[in-house]
Amino acid sequence: MPSAPEALSDTARLPQAEAPSQPGPAGRDRYFDTLRAVALIRVVTYHTFGWAWCGMVFPSMGIMFGLAGTLMAKSLERPALKVVKSRLRRLLPPFWFWGFFVVLAMLIHDWIPGWQIVYWVVPLGDPPGNAWGEQAWEILWYLRTYLWFVLLSPALLWIFRKAPVPVLVLSLAPILVLNFVWSGPDNRLGSALWDLSTYLFCWILGFAHRDGVLRRMRPALVVVLSLTAIGYGGWYAFSHQADFGTYDLDENPLAQAFWSAGFVMLLMWAKAYFRIDFAWLTRLRRLDRTVTVFNARAVTIYLWHEIALILAVPLIDQFWNVPAFEKYLPLDSQWFMFGIGWVLIAVFVLLCGWVEDVAAKKKPRLLP
């Protein structure tokens, strides 16, 4: 499973008691904003270098699902249908805009689509494609999973509020069932079930944060449960390297589920218990501005980052034709490709980020 949606492009709001102590962008929580920005940087880093340990240092996808769950619980204080429509409106236009270019490129490269092309309209299942465009479209599992969580959230939140702690604990049961009892069908439904089960705990954890459940838990209990989950996830990852060919969490759903569960629980509990708000970030204007741009253009960054990395390769190939570049630039370094990739991501943010503004019914801008 490869390594964020309004969850990326929006940011969670806190209850009144946890509001930032210093002025910042209206209604925004800089702690969550910073986590989201770091998560995006980690995603690009992983897709550049392929370091297996990246997910253990910072499980980006689990963190982004946790943040999205918090935001969804907050939003569902409004009528559920209105919230779901808003999420779809913010998610689908950037996806369609990006998908137009990807689908067109694959058609030019001999792809012949079938009826499954409907998943390029609403990605309730993995959109189809050919091998030529796989590096671009393989990241869409996240959008598909996020979309299903959005659709299921009104029911999930209702169930969670009936018995918060039992539901939170039991949200790890589906991944255990899939891993040890029944692996599900080998099709789009099966893929969706695995991804939903892997990150269900993190999404429900967002509900727990929003409703104050985490803040009321005893610190010792939270630490023990979190470290136990992390320990089990880590043990399972390393002890099953022969099965998956690596200890990379992105290749091992059960290890990913438990490692992310413990890691995200600690982050969210610390946020709630210590009232962390990162209000100091507003004093560092350039850093604060960077975090703001990452959050406002997170869907664009996520969708276009793989294309940026793909284009970085032929662009660097051209640099070899310039003697000065060949002599003085580290053209064969992955770090150089990483840097060029971010330059191209910045270009895509400027050229394509305005679609997120249109989707949010805002005035289109080059930068927020």
Side-chain angles (χ1 to χ4, degrees):
M1 183 167 44
S3 346
E6 188 175 346
L8 287 168
S9 60
D10 226 337
T11 184
R13 297 183 180 185
L14 296 173
Q16 187 64 34
E18 298 182 40
S21 59
Q22 295 190 23
R28 302 187 75 93
D29 171 13
R30 303 314 272 167
Y31 178 75
F32 282 166
D33 279 355
T34 301
L35 288 180
R36 192 175 292 106
V38 174
L40 284 168
I41 293 171
R42 207 284 289 163
V43 167
V44 178
T45 302
Y46 175 76
H47 286 157
T48 302
F49 299 98
W51 292 326
W53 49 264
C54 276
M56 291 186 167
V57 173
F58 199 80
S60 291
M61 310 317 292
I63 289 169
M64 290 195 289
F65 278 119
L67 300 182
T70 297
L71 176 62
M72 196 67 187
K74 164 63 179 177
S75 297
L76 284 172
E77 294 172 3
R78 298 181 283 125
L81 183 59
K82 184 177 181 180
V83 172
V84 171
K85 286 182 177 179
S86 174
R87 292 294 185 276
L88 293 177
R89 189 191 71 241
R90 288 173 176 252
L91 172 65
L92 292 179
F95 166 67
W96 292 335
F97 183 80
W98 172 87
F100 171 80
F101 295 99
V102 174
V103 169
L104 180 61
M106 289 192 297
L107 290 173
I108 293 173
H109 287 82
D110 303 323
W111 180 49
I112 302 177
W115 68 265
Q116 296 93 342
I117 198 172
V118 298
Y119 292 118
W120 281 101
V121 180
V122 181
L124 291 173
D126 291 324
N130 60 7
W132 181 88
E134 183 175 0
Q135 187 175 344
W137 55 255
E138 67 179 354
I139 63 171
L140 292 179
W141 72 270
Y142 177 85
L143 271 69
R144 179 250 296 151
T145 306
Y146 171 81
L147 181 58
W148 273 112
F149 273 134
V150 167
L151 296 175
L152 294 171
S153 278
L156 288 175
L157 185 59
W158 181 82
I159 295 171
F160 169 77
R161 285 175 173 167
K162 293 295 182 180
V165 175
V167 170
L168 181 62
V169 173
L170 289 174
S171 64
L172 284 170
I175 191 63
L176 291 170
V177 171
L178 286 175
N179 200 77
F180 296 113
V181 181
W182 176 66
S183 61
D186 186 18
N187 53 24
R188 283 182 170 83
L189 175 60
S191 297
L193 287 175
W194 274 98
D195 292 334
L196 285 167
S197 299
T198 300
Y199 295 103
L200 178 61
F201 183 92
C202 293
W203 190 272
I204 300 295
L205 195 64
F207 295 171
H209 172 268
R210 175 62 203 176
D211 283 8
V213 175
L214 289 180
R215 187 170 59 246
R216 295 191 295 271
M217 293 180 69
R218 294 180 179 178
L221 178 62
V222 172
V223 172
V224 169
L225 291 177
S226 298
L227 294 181
T228 299
I230 291 174
Y232 179 69
W235 169 81
Y236 195 85
F238 283 102
S239 65
H240 288 76
Q241 290 187 70
D243 298 332
F244 297 95
T246 178
Y247 63 88
D248 191 336
L249 296 178
D250 287 346
E251 303 297 331
N252 187 330
L254 183 68
Q256 176 75 273
F258 276 85
W259 186 278
S260 295
F263 201 102
V264 178
M265 190 173 187
L266 282 176
L267 287 177
M268 291 235 170
W269 171 80
K271 160 68 182 170
Y273 190 82
F274 296 109
R275 307 292 177 89
I276 304 171
D277 57 22
F278 275 21
W280 54 265
L281 190 64
T282 59
R283 298 194 296 270
L284 306 175
R285 292 188 177 183
R286 291 184 179 179
L287 182 58
D288 185 63
R289 175 66 173 157
T290 300
V291 170
T292 296
V293 172
F294 265 79
N295 280 264
R297 293 292 184 260
V299 177
T300 301
I301 293 171
Y302 184 79
L303 285 174
W304 291 93
H305 81 273
E306 280 283 23
I307 295 180
L309 294 175
I310 292 170
L311 294 177
V313 174
L315 179 59
I316 293 173
D317 286 344
Q318 295 303 311
F319 287 179
W320 288 96
N321 297 323
V322 180
F325 289 173
E326 182 181 1
K327 182 176 181 179
Y328 294 110
L329 296 179
L331 300 181
D332 57 352
S333 168
Q334 280 188 298
W335 283 103
F336 187 73
M337 186 179 76
F338 184 64
I340 295 297
W342 276 109
V343 171
L344 293 175
I345 289 171
V347 172
F348 282 126
V349 166
L350 293 174
L351 294 179
C352 310
W354 58 270
V355 181
E356 292 194 60
D357 292 329
V358 173
K361 296 184 177 181
K362 298 177 181 179
K363 182 180 179 181
R365 294 181 293 175
L366 287 178
L367 282 177

